[in-house]
Amino acid sequence: MVHGGVCVNININRASDMQAAPLWDPNLCQFVGLLTVTDFIDVLRYYRTTSTDAATLATRSISDILADSNIMSGVLGDRRGGMVSSSGSTATIQRTGFLSADTTTTLKHACRLLHHNSLDFLPVILPDDMRVLATVTYTNILEHLVTHFREQRRLFDDTIYDLGIGTYNEEVVTVTPNQTLAEALHLLHMHSLGAVPVVDQETRKVVGVYSRSDITFLHSATDVEDAIRNLDLTLESVMAERRTDVTTPDSLHTCTMGHTLQSIFEYFAQLRFNRLIVVDEEERVVGVVSARDLVAYFLEEGK
């Protein structure tokens, strides 16, 4: 519900680890936006940065937040796949319509909706009764591609670097374990990134990955004020408490620039990662390849 309380929704997301939920406007009787875990984190970040009384957040509805021009322009105005996008296409006050798919939408068109509108999530809606069937992500799409094409004859023997898939060298943004969560989140926001490699300050070797949607710091928070204070924790302390293993999509997985597209497909079939950190022979970061990068490559090749 658009008018639902923010604090209540934070508790819901903590309980279920839900990454995104469509917003329903009971007055318009339609979905008007998409609320993500990252949106909640960005609102908390806004309250910390502006030193706004955190106690007021618990009394504000989602509609109140979306009507606050300072918050929308400050931390939510260019969120990818969240409450509002750079084009305004998923804002609560709709200008171009709520972006979604239905059961007749082709996979290619779903890819285009995600990619061309810089979304992270695409709700699948039943138009007759407006039920939400699922939320499609790049990882879901890549899983489908791997399942249906990885056994075909070897068409993907070129390396990911030669194919231009991913971000490399000076374009790669990194953080160190001693930086605070607030600093890392600000960096991710400024560069419109979903995650960032964490590297050792001395050796520059990769030691982890921090995702913008990581809610580890909320697990130990007893209230909104506590959650905001936790933004000053170091990445090292947050990562030490994080519930991850090799099957977690945002856990650290690495490859080299010499890995072929075929080998990346096979790797994904085993681990279902959100991104791979590309490293050199010294395990230093030289690039990042995300599920979004891989889907975008096939979308461009399919033109």
Side-chain angles (χ1 to χ4, degrees), residues 36-55:
T36 71
V37 167
T38 307
D39 291 322
F40 283 125
I41 294 174
D42 279 344
V43 170
L44 294 175
R45 194 165 58 85
Y46 169 83
Y47 270 73
R48 175 190 175 277
T49 302
T50 60
S51 299
T52 305
D53 183 8

Side-chain angles (χ1 to χ4, degrees), residues 198-242:
V198 183
V199 301
D200 184 271
Q201 192 168 7
E202 299 295 331
T203 66
R204 310 307 295 177
K205 292 183 178 181
V206 62
V207 295
V209 177
Y210 190 78
S211 170
R212 194 172 178 178
S213 60
D214 192 317
I215 59 172
T216 301
F217 75 101
L218 290 177
H219 293 155
S220 61
T222 58
D223 52 30
V224 175
E225 291 91 342
D226 205 19
I228 293 174
R229 283 193 294 270
N230 283 351
L231 291 174
D232 289 319
L233 295 172
T234 65
L235 290 175
E236 184 175 28
S237 62
V238 173
M239 291 170 61
E241 296 181 8
R242 190 165 53 187

Side-chain angles (χ1 to χ4, degrees), residues 8-21 35-37 40 215 218-219:
V8 172
N9 280 279
I10 287 178
N11 290 334
I12 290 173
N13 280 280
R14 285 174 60 186
S16 64
D17 286 347
M18 180 175 58
Q19 291 295 305
L35 190 65
T36 71
V37 167
F40 283 125
I215 59 172
L218 290 177
H219 293 155

